[in-house]
Amino acid sequence: MPDADAFLSVENLKKHFVKRDLFGREVQRLRAVDGVSFEVGRGEALGIVGESGCGKTTTAMMIMRLIEPTSGRVRLDGRDLTGLTGEQLRAVRPRFQMVFQDPGAALDPRMTVYDALEEPFRIQRKRATPDVIEGLMHRVGLDGEHLERFAHELSGGQKQRLVIARALAMEPALLVLDEPTSSLDVNVQAQILNLLGNLRRQMGLTYVLISHNLGVVRHVADRVAVMYLGRIVEVGPVGAVFASPLHPYTRALFSAIPSVRGGGERIVLEGDVPNPLRVPSGCRFRTRCPHSSPECSIGEPELTDRGNGHFVACSFA
Ligand SMILES: Nc1ncnc2c1ncn2[C@@H]1O[C@H](COP(=O)(O)OP(=O)(O)O)[C@@H](O)[C@H]1O
Ligand SMILES: [Mg+2]
């Protein structure tokens, strides 16, 4: 799939959490992310969905260089982020920012809104004029009257607006949003999703939006990638994947949500997601797949194009 025009390009990214004994011998290998590749065009929003524990946050943290990959590469605008160190990394950091699920944890409750907005400038040794700070507030729908409030006095939605404003302070090109609305009430979720949509249009931002909520991804993203046990099993335009999911896992996942399922039947998978300490050989979904056959234990299926950029990692889908 490599695409020369990709703005963000993730190549065969892996994160194995390895436990060793006193002698440095490996005793355990947890395959949290196990060979993930995707590309995101400039100004595009890619959604990543999948059940809890499938490796979404670990993927996000590797893109952000908040944890080091076991192997693989991340390129932003043609530049290999994986190899950067120290000062080089600090210099490009403003270009990509992450927004986490819990805005309360991302803010120092004793800071005022003003301080919280000024902090990213201070870290980059830049000066923020009051105009710039007010501009940021307006961008995310906070009023001037909030400036002297303490972060802990804000509502959940206002906190997340503040976190987003901080992420925008250094004029990033890429936002990695990890469950950005999962901690919020439903009506507040919709407001924040609309804000994210508007900001993307106005500022030409590129998004990687992670959510276990299919509705959120359908609302915001252009393309969607479905993860299972550390791998992407299906990726394509939101319209195509939601209208005709091809991978048996995607079908089951989507069929669990009445608004996504439409008139179809609910597909209930047997068993639980396998432990990432013991990933099945061959196709890692085969132990739960309603269509699995002996061939499925042989090789790990690669993502292949079924037309119009709709890729599936299943030999029989
Ligand atoms: N620091 C860590 N050490 C060991 N295992 C981890 C660590 N972080 C995450 N994991 C494991 O990696 C897997 C993927 O986790 P995560 O990326 O948080 O999934 P998701 O965000 O999709 O819920 C899980 O099995 C989780 O327990
Ligand atoms: Mg997560």
Side-chain angles (χ1 to χ4, degrees):
M1 274 200 290
D3 174 355
D5 298 332
F7 184 57
L8 172 69
S9 150
V10 170
E11 293 165 35
N12 203 14
L13 207 54
K14 292 187 185 177
K15 182 67 188 183
H16 294 176
F17 292 105
V18 178
K19 258 202 202 135
R20 297 182 187 280
D21 68 11
L22 279 174
F23 308 102
R25 290 177 302 216
E26 179 176 327
V27 289
Q28 200 177 73
R29 177 170 292 257
L30 187 146
R31 297 165 196 271
V33 175
D34 207 17
V36 159
S37 303
F38 59 80
E39 283 171 348
V40 193
R42 193 184 289 274
E44 191 184 28
L46 175 77
I48 301 181
V49 298
E51 290 165 285
S52 175
C54 70
K56 304 182 297 296
T57 295
T58 304
T59 302
M61 303 275 271
M62 285 192 281
I63 294 172
M64 296 301 302
R65 280 290 304 270
L66 294 174
I67 56 175
E68 293 301 316
T70 302
S71 61
R73 257 179 221 287
V74 177
R75 275 182 231 273
L76 187 68
D77 211 4
R79 186 150 187 203
D80 189 350
L81 296 182
T82 359
L84 299 184
T85 53
E87 199 51 49
Q88 295 170 312
L89 185 59
R90 246 191 309 283
V92 292
R93 275 234 175 269
R95 304 272 294 146
F96 52 105
Q97 295 287 319
M98 184 157 170
V99 172
F100 295 90
Q101 169 169 355
D102 179 4
L107 296 167
D108 179 344
R110 293 154 307 177
M111 272 194 175
T112 64
V113 170
Y114 190 92
D115 293 337
L117 289 174
E118 203 197 15
E119 189 178 52
F121 293 91
R122 235 181 302 131
I123 291 170
Q124 286 290 326
R125 300 188 197 94
K126 293 195 171 126
R127 234 176 64 81
T129 61
D131 280 1
V132 169
I133 299 283
E134 271 191 32
L136 273 175
M137 293 196 55
H138 288 145
R139 231 193 189 137
V140 299
L142 290 172
D143 301 326
E145 56 167 90
H146 292 121
L147 266 183
E148 295 308 320
R149 297 251 184 100
F150 287 98
H152 71 83
E153 297 175 305
L154 302 178
S155 69
Q158 286 167 340
K159 279 184 193 149
Q160 197 57 305
R161 287 177 194 270
L162 178 57
V163 167
I164 293 168
R166 272 161 62 93
L168 296 177
M170 292 296 116
E171 298 178 9
L174 171 73
L175 288 190
V176 177
L177 304 146
D178 188 4
E179 307 273 7
T181 61
S182 298
S183 69
L184 305 174
D185 294 339
V186 175
N187 61 330
V188 181
Q189 282 192 23
Q191 292 166 14
I192 298 293
L193 294 178
N194 286 335
L195 172 68
L196 289 172
N198 292 337
L199 290 171
R200 175 155 77 104
R201 270 192 302 281
Q202 289 160 7
M203 303 176 69
L205 296 168
T206 303
Y207 287 170
V208 173
L209 171 74
I210 290 167
S211 183
H212 68 280
N213 184 325
L214 298 172
V216 164
V217 165
R218 184 156 61 170
H219 189 84
V220 176
D222 304 308
R223 280 189 305 133
V224 56
V226 181
M227 279 185 78
Y228 181 79
L229 209 54
R231 301 265 294 192
I232 293 176
V233 296
E234 180 159 4
V235 56
V238 161
V241 175
F242 276 85
S244 47
L246 297 174
H247 196 282
Y249 174 66
T250 314
R251 287 168 179 254
L253 186 71
F254 286 16
S255 84
I257 314 294
S259 64
V260 175
R261 177 167 80 230
E265 261 184 43
R266 168 125 200 229
I267 304 163
V268 180
L269 294 175
E270 285 180 21
D272 295 319
V273 181
N275 189 318
L277 288 169
R278 289 180 293 277
V279 171
S281 61
C283 171
R284 61 191 61 206
F285 183 60
R286 74 184 162 83
T287 53
R288 304 178 73 205
C289 184
H291 312 291
S292 96
S293 69
E295 295 104 285
C296 299
S297 61
I298 295 167
E300 180 127 46
E302 294 292 327
L303 284 169
T304 48
D305 195 351
R306 301 302 173 86
N308 302 316
H310 191 165
F311 290 75
V312 187
C314 171
S315 322
F316 305 98

